[in-house]
Structures are given as C-alpha cells and as structure tokens.
Amino acid sequence: MVAAEDTHAIYRDGHRLDHAEGASKPFRSQPEPQPRGAKVHGNRPINQAEAAARFIAAPEHEKMHDERLWDLRQKRDREMHHIPEWEQLRSLASAIKEHTLTHLDEYLDQFEANARANGIHVHWARDAAEHNRIVHGILSDHGAKSLIKSKSMLTEECGFRHYMASVGIEVTETDLGERIQQLDKEDPSHIVVPAVHKLRTDVAKVFADTIGTDPDNNDVHYLAEAQREATRPLILAADAGMTGGNFVVAETGTFVVCTNEGNADLSANVPKLHIASIGIEKIIPRLEHLAVFVRLLSRSALGSPMTQYTSHFRGPRAGGEMHVVLVDNGRSERLGLEEFWTSLKCIRCGACMNTCPAYRRSGGLSYGATYSGPIGLIIDPTFNARKYSNLPFASSLNGSCSNVCPVRINIHEQIYAWRRELVKRHDVPLVKKAAMKAAGELLSRPVAYRAAIAAADVALAHLPRFVIYNGLNAWGKHREVPHPPKHTFHSWYQANRGGKQ
C-alpha cells in the first residue's frame, strides 16, 4: 500500500499514477564531474573494486544512483502488492522458461518454420562475429549505409556498433538513454535505464559537446526535446532499422518488442528494411504465455503496470523486408552448465540490479561488462571466466536479487557457485586464494579458531590504529573495524550455561 505521507505521489480521479514521473521522486543534485567506468585491459581481470571506489568518491552520483534505483525497487513492490497472484505468476513464468529451455531445439525449429511462412527471413548466428557479418551482409545487399536501432543488449554483447563503424555504416541509437551513452562514447550501465548513472548536468554537457545545446540548461524537458529534434532527421533518412526482441513466440512465428518511447516502432517501420537481432533464449512456446511475462516485465523493471508500447511483429510491412537473426553466442554452452543454465531464464528486467546494494552504490560501469549487477555476476563469467573472475565477489550474497527475480532465478546461489568454480579453475588472485585456504584451515579447527579470535580481540583493543588499518585490512579500507566484545558467545556460554543440563 502507498503511505499516506508520500508527498511525491501524483493522483488523478482518486487513483495514483504509476507511470514515469507519476510515481517517481524528483532528484536534485549539484554539478560534479562524472566518474568513468572500469579500466579494461584486454583479457586481464576487471578491477571492479577500483572503479566502484571512484564512483563512491563522487557523492552526488553515488547518492543519486542509489536513491533512483531504490525508488524503482519500491515502485516494483507497490505493483507486486496490487496483484494477489504475483507469486503464482513468478512460478508460472519460471516453469514456462524451464520447459522451453529443456526443449529449446524444438521450439526454435517451430519458430523458424512459422516465421518463414509469415514472410520473415531467418538467419542463425553461432557467435557475435557471425551475427555482425550476417547483418553487414544484409545491409550490403540493400546498399544500406545508415541504420537506426532501438535498445538491444544483445547487440551491445556483440560489439555491433564498433563493427559497423569499421565497415563504414552509421548506426544511430533511438532510445534516449542509449543515445546519451552513444554520444558520450560509453556503454550502457543498466539493462533497462542505460544512462541511470548520469546526473542531468552530465547529460547537458554531453549534448552541448555533441548536438550543440545550451551547456547551462539542464532542464530535462529541454534536453529530451533537443535530442529528439537532432535525431528525428536521422531516423527519417535511415536506410535500415534494427530492433531486438523481448519475446519470441514459437507458435505464431512472431516476436514482441517492449519500449516506453515508441522508438522501436520507428526503427521497425520508417525504413523498408527491418532487422531483428534476438538471443535464442528469448523464445516462449505459445502466444497465451506472453500475457504472463508482459504482466511481470515492466512491473519488475520500472514499477509500472506495463510498458507504453508492446509491439507485435508478425512479418514485413507492405513493400518492406524483415530479417530475424537468432544468436547463440555461448548460450548453448551455458545451457549445458548444471549449476548455471537457469540464468537463461532472464527476461532482462533489471529488478536484481535495482535492489542490489553493491550495484546501487558502485554504478553499472564499474563491472566493465555488458551485463552488470547480480545477473551480470553469473552471466559474464560464461563469456570469459578470467576477465570477469573478480565480479562474483562483488556481492554480499544477501539474496534480495533472487527474491525479486520475476522468473525465480536463484541468482545469489549461482554467484556463490561461481566463486567455487573460479577457485577450482585457478582464476582467483593468489592472495585471495591463500587467504581463503588459510581461513578454511582455521575454521575447520575449533580450538585454533577460538584462540585466534581471542588473540584478535586483544590486538584490536591494544594495537595502534596505523597497525590495524594497513594495506592487508580490506575491511578497514572503507569501514571501521567493530569494537571487540567483552566475551565471545562460546566463552559466555561456558561461563553461564556450560555446567547446566
């Protein structure tokens, strides 16, 4: 229920508005240089902690990011409580996904047959490189030199824009958040709200540098309108359009794209050529199943009853041409991983990111990967275990991510499982591995453990501060070490209960 003192809520005809600004608190902040993301050095492990520390050191960004995402989490909870069958919907969605993934080949074949019958050209891409080559080939066949596209995490995963730039094809993002990130030469930091880590002053600077807006005007309406005016001519002149796909229906050979800006409809319908790049895990068996996921998606992502535009694509428009590229890129291999295959259930709502305290405080770009936050911690190592070996340790394992996941992925358990797996693969730094081994030895010997605790308590009580807070004390880098208790539970129990039956 909505608290009576919620002064930020907007009501109309006695009902609370739960879309966009109708359910969001206004955030005001002071100008501050934007912290940049993780430093990527080829295949070397991403130092998420270093990038997170820089983000936290920018208090305006850290505070805004934390509050904005927690606002989305609270709106999600309000919507959840309005649906009595919410938990049943989650269980049903999870079961549908599990059934589909365990019969994936059958449903993909069914979709291909029905899509071709609808006049859609269907292509199969084994990896990111093949996806990019296929799309380039289609564009070349049509003499296309410019492409407009709506938000797609799959194309980010494939490095699509970089590839297109290398072959002389101009790509324009039409989603506002993605366009901001493109103009700023940054990757998206969130799978639903790509520029959520930016203050309005950051956006004003980006637009002033790239599309010539007033650098001193950071009014959001002015900035959105300026971007619209700058991008609309590019949309109208584009040779081809591209979308992703939120859901693919095997029964009908159709796919669905969910947006709040209508930009996917422009990308799909203004040019005559429409290309949809879709991961093979996005398939569902029947059209009736779509209702389950549509009810869950936007409520989990933004706390709104549904997306503004839920667009169904069945085939090419009159005089047009439609291509669907179904992309594997490691998904089949992940499907064979006993502990991690259920991560393929993900519907990219971002709810786990909105609730995660580590993500909210550190910013999505600190992860140095396409997928950040809790879902990224279990997806990214499947692409490159060494490069993303530090990410599964960027979590408190509190379980909130699993609690809000609309398809019941056991995210926090998989994060822990990846920690075990990375240790087995020797993809953990030697210092951390040695510390974990020493801790394991100590914890397996009760007498030694109690002696170590007693010695540590004495040390904390008497040693100088500079000795305790040194480079080896990771806890003390950002927090005060707790004061030692007068008694451990074991010593208290022995003194007060030890002789009693």
Side-chain angles (χ1 to χ4, degrees):
M1 299 298 292
V2 180
E5 64 273 13
D6 187 354
T7 58
H8 297 291
I10 296 177
Y11 293 86
R12 183 172 296 159
D13 299 328
H15 298 285
R16 179 191 177 102
L17 297 182
D18 275 336
H19 283 287
E21 62 184 332
S24 294
K25 298 177 181 178
F27 293 102
R28 303 291 178 183
S29 56
Q30 299 300 315
E32 174 185 79
Q34 180 193 326
R36 293 296 170 173
K39 299 170 184 177
V40 180
H41 304 285
N43 199 41
R44 289 172 56 187
I46 296 292
N47 191 343
Q48 193 270 345
E50 183 275 334
R54 284 189 282 106
F55 191 81
I56 293 171
E60 293 293 323
H61 285 80
E62 185 268 337
K63 181 177 184 293
M64 177 278 300
H65 193 260
D66 185 25
E67 292 186 3
R68 182 171 289 169
L69 292 172
W70 187 245
D71 182 51
L72 293 178
R73 163 65 202 268
Q74 290 177 307
K75 289 195 291 182
R76 174 258 178 205
D77 290 350
R78 287 198 292 267
E79 285 298 320
M80 174 194 73
H81 290 306
H82 291 164
I83 301 180
E85 67 274 20
W86 180 262
E87 296 303 328
Q88 288 80 5
L89 279 173
R90 292 178 67 210
S91 297
L92 180 56
S94 181
I96 293 170
K97 278 290 189 178
E98 185 159 335
H99 166 77
T100 309
L101 290 169
T102 53
H103 298 79
L104 189 58
D105 56 338
E106 300 171 22
Y107 288 117
L108 287 172
D109 286 342
Q110 184 181 0
F111 169 78
E112 180 183 30
N114 290 329
R116 291 188 186 280
N118 293 338
I120 301 174
H121 300 274
V122 180
H123 309 262
W124 300 85
R126 286 166 292 191
D127 53 28
E130 187 169 13
H131 163 268
N132 294 339
R133 288 195 300 269
I134 288 171
V135 176
H136 182 208
I138 297 170
L139 296 174
S140 296
D141 290 343
H142 291 77
K145 292 296 183 182
S146 61
L147 174 78
I148 53 172
K149 65 182 288 290
S150 65
K151 182 158 63 67
S152 162
M153 295 309 296
L154 177 65
T155 57
E156 296 287 345
E157 177 187 320
C158 293
F160 177 74
R161 284 207 312 266
H162 297 291
Y163 179 89
M164 288 294 113
S166 72
V167 294
I169 293 177
E170 180 185 9
V171 176
T172 301
E173 297 285 352
T174 59
D175 174 89
L176 176 58
E178 282 282 359
R179 184 62 174 162
I180 292 170
Q181 291 304 96
Q182 181 185 19
L183 292 174
D184 200 24
K185 296 180 173 57
E186 275 192 333
D187 293 330
S189 71
H190 189 287
I191 57 180
V192 175
V193 276
V196 70
H197 61 293
K198 278 180 162 61
L199 302 176
R200 63 175 67 193
T201 51
D202 300 329
V203 178
K205 183 179 186 307
V206 172
F207 282 5
D209 293 343
T210 55
I211 60 176
T213 57
D214 179 356
D216 297 320
N217 190 342
N218 59 36
D219 176 73
V220 293
H221 300 287
Y222 164 74
L223 293 172
E225 180 64 22
Q227 192 280 147
R228 182 183 295 111
E229 292 297 322
T231 305
R232 187 56 61 95
L234 301 177
I235 294 174
L236 296 176
D239 299 322
M242 171 178 275
T243 67
N246 292 89
F247 306 103
V248 177
V249 184
E251 176 186 43
T252 58
T254 61
F255 61 97
V256 174
V257 181
C258 302
T259 69
N260 282 314
E261 300 172 21
N263 56 299
D265 298 83
L266 289 173
S267 298
N269 290 297
V270 173
K272 292 184 177 180
L273 175 61
H274 175 196
I275 304 170
S277 297
I278 305 173
I280 58 175
E281 83 282 11
K282 296 296 185 70
I283 200 159
I284 57 176
R286 295 194 293 275
L287 191 61
E288 66 186 72
H289 297 148
L290 183 62
V292 176
F293 294 99
V294 167
R295 293 185 74 191
L296 288 167
L297 178 60
S298 191
R299 287 181 169 92
S300 297
L302 301 172
S304 59
M306 67 183 299
T307 49
Q308 307 289 344
Y309 300 88
T310 302
S311 305
H312 297 244
F313 296 99
R314 186 180 184 89
R317 64 184 179 89
E321 191 169 309
M322 180 182 290
H323 294 255
V324 169
V325 186
L326 295 170
V327 185
D328 188 319
N329 202 35
R331 287 159 174 77
S332 294
E333 183 178 354
R334 198 190 319 164
L335 191 59
L337 299 177
E338 183 177 357
E339 291 190 279
F340 308 112
W341 71 274
T342 57
S343 63
L344 290 165
K345 293 181 181 181
C346 177
I347 60 173
R348 304 293 193 266
C349 69
C352 62
M353 306 162 79
N354 300 340
T355 197
C356 175
Y359 174 86
R360 297 200 321 264
R361 295 289 302 279
S362 61
L365 295 180
S366 70
Y367 295 78
T370 298
Y371 303 104
S372 53
I375 193 64
L377 304 190
I378 62 177
I379 290 179
D380 296 330
T382 66
F383 293 119
N384 189 326
R386 182 174 187 273
K387 184 174 183 178
Y388 303 119
S389 58
N390 287 329
L391 298 191
F393 297 91
S395 169
S396 65
L397 298 180
N398 62 77
S400 181
C401 48
S402 300
N403 290 339
V404 300
C405 177
V407 288
R408 294 193 184 279
I409 302 172
N410 59 333
I411 301 174
H412 72 291
E413 293 176 352
Q414 291 191 39
I415 294 172
Y416 177 67
W418 263 117
R419 293 183 182 182
R420 293 199 315 266
E421 180 65 23
L422 291 167
V423 170
K424 290 179 185 176
R425 296 187 186 192
H426 306 291
D427 281 321
V428 174
L430 290 176
V431 173
K432 182 176 289 187
K433 189 175 181 181
M436 293 171 68
K437 184 177 181 180
E441 292 290 333
L442 187 64
L443 293 171
S444 66
R445 292 173 170 79
V447 174
Y449 170 74
R450 291 178 192 128
I453 290 295
D457 287 346
V458 172
L460 289 174
H462 297 92
L463 286 176
R465 184 177 179 86
F466 74 88
V467 176
I468 298 172
Y469 292 89
N470 57 60
L472 297 177
N473 183 359
W475 176 278
K477 288 181 180 178
H478 304 290
R479 294 158 289 202
E480 286 292 314
V481 175
H483 293 291
K486 293 181 179 179
H487 305 284
T488 65
F489 174 78
H490 184 266
S491 64
W492 178 91
Y493 187 87
Q494 288 296 320
N496 293 276
R497 297 285 191 272
K500 299 178 181 180
Q501 299 295 327

